[in-house]
Amino acid sequence: MISSGTPGDQAPVINRNSTGSLSTGPAHRLLLAECSNAESIMRSIVNQSFAAGDSKPSLDESPLKPWIIEMANTLIILRTKTTACGLTVQSGEGILLKRQPSPHPTLIKWSAPLFIRIKSKGAGMLFGSQTRSVFAVCTTRQLEDMLLRGGSGQADAGKTKKPGSRTLRGMEFAMSCGAGFSDRSDMLAVTFGERLDLVSASQTAGPIFGVAFLSGVMELDAEKNAEVYGDVRPMDILNTLAPPAEFQPIYGEMNRIVNRVERLSSVSRASASLERFSTGRDPDSVIVLSDGSTVT
């Protein structure tokens, strides 16, 4: 399935048929199933966010504001299941996509999907069962670096982490008796134990009440990645492999969302919006003096 030259000589290549897909083998079926699952997750978040409306939104209505997705370095789309009765078990799986550089802002490119999973356990006074669909955007390389390289920075000093995994720790507080929607930017960030430039939206379903401490890991799904890509390195999956044809529905939806921003506003305007959203500071009110200093 995968052919590659001498390391460093050329990027690994997936052998595809004339349509750009992986024929009809197990890898082809897995990619189709994962694409359908990602579409389902996005649709469930969008529909829940518009639950009070009179009409059902289309998928390209976007689970987050389009200008946020336009600023993405990486995207995470996943679904988790939490079961709790004193002891809590949480598991989930999904994909990570990286926006790739392109010669023009209207030419939008995304990487091949990197398969990831979450596993965690905990204890406390949490009871119930809940599924959570998550769409998260990281606007810097932090998440990519931490996951692929096992973490970096002061928060990792003295810790040993296996490349391809990231420790998750945090409190799970829940009080829900049905479906709900959340656009909390800290939902995944706090569990990494350090600040991330991350924004997320999620849809929950199922009754769950109480509080528990959870500890676990977000890691690469080695089995799925090997089934689709063989022994290609995760870094090459995100940076050099051609995106599979099976994921064109997701790429198309993401590109329609991003182009809604780029047709109407420049990247600098989107950057200003992100700064206002994350810091409360309005860059449009800054006055630049002749010596290069600024006055707000």
Side-chain angles (χ1 to χ4, degrees):
M1 182 189 310
I2 303 290
S3 62
S4 58
T6 303
D9 291 343
Q10 63 180 28
V13 177
I14 296 181
N15 296 323
R16 303 180 185 277
N17 61 23
S18 59
T19 66
S21 70
L22 295 171
S23 67
T24 57
H28 169 75
R29 292 191 293 271
L30 175 59
L31 283 168
L32 289 177
E34 291 294 329
C35 179
S36 177
N37 186 55
E39 286 185 291
S40 173
I41 290 171
M42 292 175 63
R43 187 174 292 111
S44 67
I45 296 172
V46 170
N47 287 342
Q48 187 61 42
S49 69
F50 285 86
D54 296 329
S55 59
K56 294 188 67 176
S58 61
L59 181 57
D60 65 356
E61 284 293 334
S62 181
L64 283 171
K65 298 294 185 182
W67 61 263
I68 297 176
I69 299 175
E70 194 277 333
M71 297 298 296
N73 177 76
T74 50
L75 304 175
I76 287 181
I77 306 173
L78 61 83
R79 179 173 283 136
T80 64
K81 175 68 178 292
T82 301
T83 303
C85 186
L87 296 177
T88 302
V89 176
Q90 185 179 78
S91 62
E93 56 186 23
I95 60 169
L96 184 147
L97 298 175
K98 178 180 178 181
R99 187 168 178 182
Q100 297 181 329
S102 62
H104 193 275
T106 60
L107 179 59
I108 303 165
K109 299 172 62 179
W110 300 93
S111 71
L114 186 64
F115 302 106
I116 59 174
R117 61 188 178 191
I118 288 179
K119 298 184 293 183
S120 60
K121 295 180 180 180
M125 299 297 291
L126 190 65
F127 302 92
S129 179
Q130 184 180 78
T131 60
R132 174 179 286 165
S133 301
V134 179
F135 182 95
V137 168
C138 189
T139 60
T140 69
R141 290 191 53 171
Q142 288 174 292
L143 184 58
E144 176 191 358
D145 289 343
M146 287 191 300
L147 186 60
L148 297 188
R149 297 173 176 83
S152 61
Q154 291 183 349
D156 298 311
K159 299 180 181 179
T160 301
K161 293 185 177 67
K162 177 181 66 175
S165 68
R166 181 67 186 177
T167 300
L168 303 174
R169 292 191 182 92
M171 298 295 295
E172 176 79 6
F173 176 80
M175 187 172 292
S176 173
C177 59
F181 171 79
S182 173
D183 57 357
R184 294 163 48 198
S185 62
D186 65 337
M187 190 194 68
L188 284 177
V190 293
T191 60
F192 283 105
E194 56 192 88
R195 180 178 176 83
L196 282 179
D197 293 325
L198 185 144
V199 183
S200 64
S202 66
Q203 180 263 346
T204 57
I208 193 166
F209 304 88
V211 61
F213 177 80
L214 296 179
S215 179
V217 64
M218 175 185 284
E219 61 185 2
L220 303 183
D221 192 326
E223 291 80 8
K224 285 185 179 180
N225 287 316
E227 182 173 350
V228 174
Y229 307 115
D231 60 355
V232 177
R233 298 180 307 168
M235 195 174 300
D236 290 331
I237 295 173
L238 292 181
N239 292 290
T240 61
L241 282 185
E246 291 86 350
F247 256 69
Q248 286 306 315
I250 285 292
Y251 299 141
E253 297 297 345
M254 298 308 305
N255 292 351
R256 277 193 286 274
I257 291 171
V258 173
N259 272 319
R260 289 171 58 190
V261 174
E262 294 178 336
R263 285 197 301 267
L264 300 175
S265 60
S266 66
V267 173
S268 62
R269 295 293 299 172
S271 300
S273 297
L274 182 62
E275 186 169 349
R276 283 191 292 269
F277 182 84
S278 59
T279 68
R281 175 177 175 270
D282 187 354
D284 291 337
S285 66
V286 174
I287 300 174
V288 182
L289 303 180
S290 58
D291 61 358
S293 60
T294 61
V295 176
T296 59

